[in-house]
Amino acid sequence: MNDPFELLQVELRPMTLADLPQVEALDRKAFPTPWPENAFRYELTRNPHAICWVAEQSAHLVGVIVVWLVLDEAHIATLAVQDDLRQRGIGQKLLARALLLCHESGATSAMLEVRESNRAAQSLYRKLGFEDVGLRKGYYQDTHEDAILMTLAPLEPDSLARLERIENDTKS
């Protein structure tokens, strides 16, 4: 029997228009308030500052990330992994790849908001070096839950080396 927390081998690649039905389905399953219809299409086709990547296993999408490059800051807009495959390295590999791409495009720091109740996501972000820097009261409109504001700053040689190890090593 397979270990339910065994790190999985996945292919990371840029999102394509053909991926949108699977991306939107994954988003709907992952979040209580999914992105609006056509939001991923907009990011992919009309936002030149968006980095949109997917994780694929056996021709099935199991993860997605969208990051906005705003001047010299990477803003993690969304990160989702198929529910039954969480905590198996997919999210950290997607995030590492996206942050490395952002750094190549000039980002010197990264930030995100995460639900106060989402301890698993917070743990992932801290593992990659993000730190809590603030609280956005009532940030999530669906439940009025607070968001923890987290940053990774600066993107420097030590943090970049850690991201490269995660991206390239299935046993990170």
Side-chain angles (χ1 to χ4, degrees):
M1 186 160 113
N2 290 340
D3 177 355
F5 295 105
E6 175 186 358
L7 296 176
L8 293 178
Q9 292 280 4
V10 293
E11 178 190 346
L12 303 183
R13 61 173 178 76
M15 185 189 302
T16 67
L17 287 172
D19 296 326
L20 291 179
Q22 286 187 73
V23 166
E24 291 168 347
L26 179 62
D27 185 60
R28 283 191 302 274
K29 290 179 184 173
F31 297 110
T33 305
W35 276 22
E37 187 175 340
N38 293 319
F40 288 100
R41 177 179 298 277
Y42 173 84
E43 298 302 333
L44 194 57
T45 62
R46 303 206 48 215
N47 184 352
H49 305 290
I51 293 173
C52 306
W53 278 65
V54 295
E56 187 174 50
Q57 183 185 45
S58 303
H60 179 70
L61 292 188
V62 295
V64 61
I65 190 166
V66 175
V67 181
W68 299 319
L69 189 57
V70 182
L71 300 175
D72 63 347
E73 182 178 76
H75 182 113
I76 289 73
T78 191
L79 172 61
V81 173
Q82 184 176 307
D83 188 45
D84 61 337
L85 298 178
R86 291 182 183 153
Q87 298 184 337
R88 298 182 67 187
I90 298 167
Q92 70 183 3
K93 290 177 86 60
L94 273 169
L95 185 54
R97 170 69 56 90
L99 290 173
L100 289 166
L101 290 168
C102 287
H103 180 263
E104 290 172 11
S105 296
T108 59
S109 64
M111 64 89 55
L112 58 87
E113 294 92 1
V114 60
R115 285 181 189 268
E116 196 170 36
S117 63
N118 193 343
R119 304 281 186 232
Q122 292 168 41
S123 176
L124 164 66
Y125 300 135
R126 288 185 185 108
K127 181 176 182 177
L128 271 73
F130 282 81
E131 297 179 352
D132 299 18
V133 295
L135 191 69
R136 296 194 194 274
K137 290 286 200 185
Y139 181 80
Y140 292 97
Q141 294 179 357
D142 59 346
T143 62
H144 304 289
E145 183 176 0
D146 297 342
I148 297 173
L149 178 61
M150 301 180 82
T151 63
L152 174 61
L155 285 173
E156 58 186 4
D158 286 346
S159 61
L160 294 170
R162 180 176 48 243
L163 293 172
E164 287 171 352
R165 282 192 305 274
I166 288 169
E167 179 187 38
N168 296 317
D169 183 8
T170 59
K171 302 214 183 315
S172 298

